[in-house]
Amino acid sequence: MKDVLVYIELIEDGVRPSSREAVSAGREIASATGGSVIALIASGEPVGVPTLDGVDRIIHVTHPALGAYTAEAHAAVLADMIAKLDPAAVMLAYTTAGLDLASAVAVTASLPLVAYCTDVTVADGALTTTSQMYGGRLEAVVRAPLPVVVSIMPGAFPEAVTTGASPEIIVQDAPKSLDALRSVFVDEQRPARGSFDLSLAERIVCIGRGIGAADSIAVARELADALNAEIAGSRPVIDQGWLEKERQVGKSGRLVKPRLYIGLGVSGAPEHLEGMRSSDLIIAVNSDAAAPIFTVAHYAAVCDMFDLVPALIERLKAGTP
Amino acid sequence: MHIMVVLRLVADLGGDIEIAHGGKDIDREWVDLKLNEFDDHALEEAIFLKEIVGAKVTAIMIDGDGVERSLQTALARGADEARRIAVDDTDGPISSRAMTPVVAAAAAELGADLVLTGVQSPEDIFGQLAPSLGAVLGWPQASAVSSVKPDDGSTITVQQEYSGGVSAAIRLPLPAVLGVQTASRPIRYVTGSKLRQAMAEEIPRIEATAAVAMPDVEIVELRVPDEAGGAVMLDGDADAIADEILRLLADRALLQVC
Ligand SMILES: Cc1cc2nc3c(=O)[nH]c(=O)nc-3n(C[C@H](O)[C@H](O)[C@H](O)COP(=O)(O)OP(=O)(O)OC[C@H]3O[C@@H](n4cnc5c(N)ncnc54)[C@H](O)[C@@H]3O)c2cc1C
C-alpha cells in the first residue's frame, strides 16, 4: 500500500488536461509514501497508449464496453484495479467522469474520499487536503487516513512533466463484469462543425444570475453590442432559457480565453472559473465584495450592475473614453 | 415508475460568513437554510416525469430544522408523498456520504425504482450522494444529467453532460440513480392556495433503518479563502467606475471595432 493510482480520461486528441494535473497531485503523494505513480487507461480498442508524462507505469485495460464512456463500465474497471493494487491513494479529476466514479469506487472499496482538492500533502500516514466548499466561498482543511480516494479541482495543480524514463505499459484483462453491463451508451452530441463557437470570441460580456430576469438581458446585450463583444452566461442563465446553451461559459459549457471578459453578476463558482480564468483581461462586477470571481479578476468593481451598465453604454455610444 | 427524490437543505451564505467557535464549521446559529439548488432541479425533473408518464413521486429528507416546510413545498409542487427520516442525534449536518446507507435503505423500503437527487451539494466534500447511492444499492447511475426520458417503462434514457458542449445519451435499466444537474424545464414555483393547502399537511416521520456511516475523515479547519487575489479594485460611484473601465479598454486597444 504505497503506490498511487490515477484514473486517466481520454479525449479526442489524447489525455484530458485535468488528468495530467491529477498525475502531478498523485506524484506529491507518491513521493511521501515512497511508491510509484500508476496510470489507469481504459479504452475500447487496443489503441496506442497516449503519451503521459510523470507516471512510472501505465496499466491499459481494453474492452469494447470501455470505448464510449459509461459510469458503470469505468467504475467496474477502476474498482477492480483498486482491489488488485491496494494503492495508498486513488486520484481523479473533478469532471463528469470524476463525479460518477470517485464516490462510487470509494463506497465499493470502503475507502474515505476527499473531493474538490486544491492542495494535497501526506505526513504520518495521513493525507491533508485543502478542499473547496460553497462555490469557492469557503475552504476546508481535511485530514483523511490512507488509503483514500482523492478528487482534485481542475486548474489547481500543474500538468505533470516528464520524469525522463518512459513508463512501462502493462496490458491487463478487463473484469468479467464488463460482459454483463446494464448501462448502454446510445449516442453522443457535439457542437456542429462551423456552428457558433464562443471559445473563438475575442471579447465576452458574461452575465450571471445577478441579471435577475429575462427582461434585463436586453441591457447587457446592448453593452455587448457597443463593445463588439459576444454575450455569454453562467449556467443558471442558460438553465433559465435566457441565453442559448452554446453561450454557456464553464465546466459544462465552453472554455474561453478572450482578450476581454466582463462578468456581470457572476459569483465565480469553481465550475465557472474553470472556463474563463485564463482570459487576458478579466473585469468583474458584483454587488458582493466577497464574490469568489474577484480572486481571478484583474479589475473588480463592487457595485450594482444596473447602475454601472447604463453608464458604460452611455460612454461607449458617445464614442469618447 | 416510483421516483424517490432526495432533498437536502444547505446554508444560505450571506455576505458575511461567520466561522463557528472551534474553527471547523460555519456558525449555523444565524444562517438561513435553503434547498440545495441541484436537488431543486431533481424535484422538478421528477414532477416533469410524473406529468409525462404518470410516475409516483415521493420526496424524502433527513429530518431537521426546516425540513417539514421544504417537504410541504415539494407536495405543493406536485410530489405525491413525502417522508422525514429520523436519524440518531448527530452533531451538525450529516454529510452526503454519511447519509448514503440511510437513504439507500429508504429507497428499498419505499420500493422506489428511480432515485433522483442533485448532482452536488455545496458541502459534499466527502463524496457526492448519487454515485454513492448507486454503489450501495448496486444500481446503475449517472451524474451531471440534464434530461431524463422514459423509454418503454423498464428503461430510461438520460442526457449526460461533459465539457466543451459535448453530451451523450445513456440508456439505463430501472432501478437506477441519477445525479441531476438541470431539469428538462425551468423550475416552476408554486404560489398561494396550493402552497397554503400543503402547509396544512403533516409530513410522516419515519425512523431510519440503517445507521449513518461516517468514514474516517474530518474537517480540521474551515476558513474563508484569501480574498481579491490581486484584483485592482475600481472605486467610486458607477460613473467613476465606468470612466475607469473605459480608460482600461482604451489603453488595451479594446475599444476599436474589429
Ligand atoms: C458538474 C457541474 C458543472 C457546472 N458547470 C457550470 C458551467 O459550465 N458554468 C457555470 O457558470 N456554472 C456551472 N455550474 C454551476 C456552478 O456551480 C454555479 O452554480 C454557477 O456558476 C453560479 O452561477 P452565477 O454566478 O450566475 O449565480 P450565483 O452564484 O447565484 O451568483 C449571482 C451573483 O450575482 C451577484 N449579484 C446579484 N445582483 C447583482 C447586481 N444587481 N449587480 C451585481 N451583482 C449582482 C450576487 O452577489 C452573486 O454573486 C456547474 C455545476 C456543477 C455541479
Side-chain angles (χ1 to χ4, degrees):
Chain A
M1 194 209 75
K2 285 196 305 199
D3 296 339
V4 174
L5 180 65
V6 187
Y7 171 80
I8 302 295
E9 271 181 69
L10 299 181
I11 47 174
E12 257 186 340
D13 45 359
V15 172
R16 196 182 281 290
S18 55
S19 291
R20 298 186 190 275
E21 296 164 7
V23 169
S24 62
R27 176 60 67 191
E28 289 184 32
I29 297 176
S31 47
T33 58
S36 305
V37 177
I38 305 171
L40 171 64
I41 296 184
S43 71
E45 300 296 322
V47 284
V49 172
T51 13
L52 189 57
D53 291 328
V55 303
D56 302 303
R57 244 180 297 154
I58 295 175
I59 294 181
H60 190 195
V61 179
T62 64
H63 186 283
L66 295 169
Y69 172 83
T70 65
E72 190 182 6
H74 282 248
V77 173
L78 181 55
D80 180 56
M81 215 42 75
I82 295 170
K84 283 185 177 135
L85 299 176
D86 187 25
V90 180
M91 316 295 297
L92 301 97
Y94 166 45
T95 59
T96 297
L99 273 171
D100 273 343
L101 304 178
S103 304
V105 299
V107 167
T108 307
S110 299
L111 296 178
L113 172 143
V114 197
Y116 315 112
C117 299
T118 56
D119 186 48
V120 294
T121 48
V122 170
D124 305 326
L127 171 78
T128 302
T129 71
T130 306
S131 292
Q132 291 190 326
M133 296 174 81
Y134 279 92
R137 299 199 53 203
L138 286 170
E139 60 186 26
V141 179
V142 176
R143 223 176 116 86
L146 302 179
V148 63
V149 179
V150 181
S151 163
I152 61 148
M153 285 311 280
F157 294 86
E159 289 188 23
V161 291
T162 182
T163 47
S166 43
E168 177 191 6
I169 298 172
I170 301 163
V171 177
Q172 290 243 354
D173 289 338
K176 287 275 170 291
S177 57
L178 291 197
D179 297 326
L181 292 172
R182 296 156 295 176
S183 313
V184 180
F185 168 84
V186 181
D187 58 16
E188 187 182 70
Q189 292 77 45
R190 294 184 166 270
R193 240 172 251 283
S195 61
F196 172 73
D197 186 352
L198 185 67
S199 64
L200 301 177
E202 283 226 331
R203 304 168 194 185
I204 290 177
V205 170
C206 185
I207 52 176
R209 185 151 36 198
I211 194 82
D215 296 349
S216 309
I217 308 259
V219 62
R221 243 186 237 286
E222 201 180 339
L223 175 64
D225 287 346
L227 278 167
N228 239 290
E230 292 293 347
I231 188 145
S234 66
R235 174 137 202 145
V237 169
I238 309 301
D239 286 350
Q240 280 294 325
W242 294 342
L243 288 177
E244 308 82 29
K245 176 75 185 168
E246 64 212 31
R247 292 184 182 270
Q248 181 184 321
V249 171
K251 185 182 202 69
S252 48
R254 281 322 183 89
L255 202 81
V256 301
K257 198 178 171 301
R259 287 180 59 210
L260 169 66
Y261 167 102
I262 299 184
L264 304 170
V266 175
S267 64
E271 295 84 5
H272 188 83
L273 302 187
E274 190 181 326
M276 47 61 74
R277 65 184 322 147
S278 35
S279 304
D280 291 349
L281 175 64
I282 300 171
I283 302 177
V285 180
N286 198 302
S287 46
D288 174 8
I293 193 158
F294 293 146
T295 60
V296 302
H298 302 106
Y299 292 90
V302 180
C303 69
D304 188 323
M305 58 183 276
F306 296 110
D307 294 335
L308 179 63
V309 172
L312 281 171
I313 293 171
E314 186 191 321
R315 282 163 179 74
L316 288 164
K317 288 201 166 154
T320 42
Chain B
M1 190 160 40
H2 183 182
I3 307 173
M4 181 177 97
V5 189
V6 191
L7 305 176
R8 291 160 290 182
L9 290 175
V10 297
D12 188 358
L13 296 186
D16 283 322
I17 303 171
E18 294 284 338
I19 304 292
H21 186 70
K24 296 183 182 183
D25 196 5
I26 41 181
D27 189 345
R28 295 193 182 261
E29 188 137 2
W30 303 110
V31 292
D32 291 331
L33 295 173
K34 64 172 184 186
L35 187 58
N36 179 37
E37 172 173 3
F38 300 108
D39 296 352
D40 211 352
H41 280 277
L43 175 61
E44 189 65 36
E45 192 67 3
I47 295 161
F48 173 70
L49 286 170
K50 171 183 166 175
E51 287 173 14
I52 59 173
V53 290
K56 171 180 172 184
V57 176
T58 304
I60 70 153
M61 295 179 88
I62 303 291
D63 202 16
D65 282 350
V67 161
E68 181 148 49
R69 203 181 174 86
S70 304
L71 287 172
Q72 287 164 334
T73 309
L75 291 176
R77 280 172 57 184
D80 300 287
E81 288 182 15
R83 298 276 186 283
R84 299 181 278 156
I85 303 182
V87 298
D88 289 343
D89 277 332
T90 46
D91 285 344
I94 300 169
S95 75
S96 294
R97 174 80 185 262
M99 72 171 68
T100 302
V102 175
V103 175
E109 267 153 45
L110 292 170
D113 50 14
L114 179 61
V115 176
L116 301 187
T117 191
V119 58
Q120 178 192 70
S121 95
E123 294 178 344
D124 60 8
I125 55 172
F126 302 141
Q128 291 83 23
L129 185 57
S132 308
L133 275 175
V136 168
L137 290 162
W139 296 359
Q141 52 95 9
S143 280
V145 165
S146 60
S147 92
V148 184
K149 280 201 215 85
D151 301 322
D152 56 2
S154 66
T155 65
I156 51 172
T157 300
V158 305
Q159 204 66 29
Q160 184 170 49
E161 285 191 23
Y162 312 102
S163 56
V166 180
S167 68
I170 312 279
R171 188 157 61 237
L172 305 171
L174 299 176
V177 183
L178 304 177
V180 175
Q181 166 115 36
T182 310
S184 298
R185 64 178 184 205
I187 292 169
R188 298 179 181 180
Y189 295 100
V190 284
T191 45
S193 66
K194 245 190 188 167
L195 202 55
R196 276 195 300 277
Q197 217 176 331
M199 290 303 160
E201 297 221 26
E202 202 172 307
I203 308 292
R205 188 168 186 267
I206 56 174
E207 290 298 321
T209 54
V212 166
M214 195 47 213
D216 199 7
V217 235
E218 60 163 338
I219 293 181
V220 292
E221 188 193 343
L222 190 70
R223 59 190 181 211
V224 176
D226 285 342
E227 277 312 324
V232 176
M233 301 307 285
L234 303 174
D235 294 322
D237 62 4
D239 285 320
I241 295 171
D243 286 337
E244 196 58 42
I245 290 179
L246 253 78
R247 224 180 337 266
L248 287 170
L249 300 183
D251 286 352
R252 286 166 178 75
L254 283 163
L255 288 178
Q256 284 122 355
V257 180
C258 40

